[in-house]
Amino acid sequence: ARIVRALVWAGGVVVLTDAYALYAVTGLATPTDAGGARVDRLGRLPLARLPEAMAVLVPEKARRRPRWPEVLVSLPGQAGVLAAEGLENRVEPRVPHWQAAPVVALAAHPLERVVACFCIDGTLSVVKADFSELLFVVDAVSAGGGGGIAFPRLMCWCGSAFAVLTCWGPPAAGAM
């Protein structure tokens, strides 16, 4: 299988293969320590197409097993995301009642359990990581070029309170 997407997070790297398998590579910061770098399969995504967006939530320190991150991936052509966590191959859908459009970009907050979701309809929503609460939503339709929607190629958090959208362009291949 080939790696089609990789995301670096504070504890390592998460990769998605063309076979829809997620892997976490941890222990990269201290490869000479006992155990060193480790590769764990987080599970296989039940998708027919590769997701448009992927984000990694840093594990909560209060959990018993803080080693593995939680990975969110968009549902191609559908609202919501899939969440994969741990080695149990546990993948659960998270589809909020307030969101009707497919997600094309995701950004997980580096410290909090909060996620920014840019949808194909031009809205930017910030939600709790479990998608239980909508914190705010902004209509981010581009002001230029005939009023069309410009899609972010990269979305990341800046500081603790702002999501920043950069590298604008047309929708990614496969976006509706």
Side-chain angles (χ1 to χ4, degrees):
R2 292 179 323 143
I3 294 173
V4 294
R5 185 165 289 162
L7 290 176
V8 176
W9 62 288
V13 178
V14 169
V15 298
L16 173 66
T17 70
D18 58 0
Y20 306 103
L22 286 169
Y23 293 89
V25 183
T26 57
L28 296 175
T30 55
T32 58
D33 289 352
R38 175 182 171 130
V39 178
D40 292 302
R41 183 176 170 156
L42 298 179
R44 187 181 183 288
L45 300 175
L47 299 174
R49 291 190 346 231
L50 290 171
E52 299 293 334
M54 188 167 99
V56 177
L57 294 168
V58 176
E60 293 180 85
K61 294 186 186 334
R63 291 186 178 184
R64 290 185 193 143
R65 295 171 289 122
R67 174 185 300 231
W68 299 287
E70 185 173 357
V71 182
L72 301 178
V73 296
S74 61
L75 293 166
Q78 302 175 45
V81 299
L82 285 176
E85 179 182 19
L87 300 180
E88 300 118 13
N89 201 18
R90 190 178 84 198
V91 178
E92 66 179 17
R94 294 185 184 163
V95 182
H97 63 85
W98 61 82
Q99 180 186 345
V103 174
V104 294
L106 287 166
H109 192 284
L111 303 173
E112 305 291 329
R113 304 279 298 167
V114 176
V115 179
C117 305
F118 191 90
C119 295
I120 201 159
D121 64 358
T123 58
L124 172 66
S125 302
V126 175
V127 300
K128 287 193 173 180
D130 63 1
F131 280 62
S132 65
E133 185 179 345
L134 174 66
L135 302 175
F136 69 87
V137 64
V138 176
D139 183 1
V141 175
S142 173
I149 299 172
F151 293 88
R153 288 293 193 199
L154 173 67
M155 189 164 71
C156 62
W157 284 86
C158 178
S160 62
F162 299 96
V164 177
L165 310 176
T166 61
C167 302
W168 297 90
M176 297 174 51

